[in-house]
Amino acid sequence: MTASGQVKELSLKGRDMIELDEYSTEEIQFLLDSAIEIKRKQKNGEVYQPLKGKTIGLIFEKSSTRTRISFETGMFQLGGHALFLSKNDIQLGRGEPISDMAQVMSRYLDGLMIRTFGHDNVVNLAKYASIPVINGLSDMAHPCQVLADLQTVLEYKGKLKGLKMAFIGDGNNMAHSLLIGGAKMGMHVALASPKGYEADAGIVKLSEDIAAQTGGSITITQDPIEAAKDADVIYTDVWASMGFEEEQAQREVAFADYQVNEELVKAAKPDYLFLHCLPAHRGEEVSEGVIDGVNSVIFDQAENRLHAQKALMVALMA
Ligand code: CP
Ligand code: NVA
């Protein structure tokens, strides 16, 4: 924001959001400032409809509560229209090539969001579509969630740079996007995962390179206490992500020492924030006492999906 409290304008029109590494620190800051401003407008009851007459298609190959509802509602509030396109209801489920689908949909729509398994589906959709494509979660990344997460931390702590964010658990899509997003914003990101469930080595290297430029840092460890030590933010996610349900029993064994509970959070700063992208499994990756305790901001975080994605859609599509 500028000194006068105005959001400094930056043009992101026509861009895709596949992962946060494609965006500069300044551009991410712009999206976060816009999200906070859009939230303020909505709380004040101001009508803000820069996407009047525009339509976004929402392709879902996996389940969703938050992503679907926040995109649909957000688009409606911005004056536009959202189409829910379940994989089984479109020809994608019967093998229509993504390249054809991307080109056809670009003739009708003004933007696309896709939630899918293979990250290459997002990349290919963006390659062939002539409209902005937003990653609503792939097996590799969940950038929309991290925009909401960063907004939440910024609102509570007043800054991001220099804060320590610990992620305890699976080196999954959430871990990847938090590594990149945190590094972009100059945060110290610590990731503790059990052996065999580490984050992708290429993403770790990328986030280390980013952190070297922003004054942040990346710590990869198998020790949850080392990661949680003096943390400002403690984050966790399910042990078995969508698509890995069959590994649930084996993962419960592998992750047994990685629960975020009252004992582990003693290592964090007393005013730490607890974040979880949700859905959560109480008694598995997080104890009831922590997720429902005073440091938990999970519902503000979930609400911010709405505001952060509205900011993103306006920036890319208006
Ligand atoms: N956090 C998140 O993306 O939630 P959904 O799976 O409910 O969309
Ligand atoms: N890692 C989780 C995130 C859900 C929002 C999954 O992919 O299922």
Side-chain angles (χ1 to χ4, degrees), residues 122-167:
V122 188
V123 173
N124 280 326
L125 192 67
K127 179 174 169 193
Y128 291 102
S130 55
I131 53 177
V133 169
I134 297 172
N135 183 357
L137 182 148
S138 68
D139 283 349
M140 282 302 274
H142 198 1
C144 292
Q145 178 67 55
V146 172
L147 285 174
D149 302 341
L150 294 173
Q151 180 190 344
T152 308
V153 176
L154 184 57
E155 287 173 339
Y156 273 95
K157 297 287 180 192
K159 63 171 187 176
L160 295 171
K161 196 173 167 63
L163 295 184
K164 178 173 180 183
M165 176 162 67
F167 182 94

Side-chain angles (χ1 to χ4, degrees), residues 233-289:
V233 178
I234 303 261
Y235 203 121
T236 191
D237 184 14
V238 291
W239 290 339
S241 287
M242 290 181 275
F244 296 88
E245 290 84 356
E246 281 157 29
E247 296 180 13
Q248 177 69 28
Q250 135 197 357
R251 284 170 176 260
E252 278 176 25
V253 177
F255 286 88
D257 295 333
Y258 290 78
Q259 187 187 69
V260 176
N261 54 31
E262 287 82 342
E263 193 51 38
L264 180 68
V265 299
K266 279 185 193 156
K269 292 210 179 117
D271 62 347
Y272 82 94
L273 299 176
F274 175 75
L275 269 68
H276 191 310
C277 55
L278 305 180
H281 294 169
R282 285 168 174 76
E284 289 183 28
E285 75 273 8
V286 60
S287 68
E288 223 174 275

Side-chain angles (χ1 to χ4, degrees), residues 63-68 115 137 142 145 242 277-279 305:
S63 314
S64 167
T65 299
R66 281 143 288 270
T67 304
R68 176 180 178 180
R115 166 167 287 199
L137 182 148
H142 198 1
Q145 178 67 55
M242 290 181 275
C277 55
L278 305 180
R305 293 293 302 277

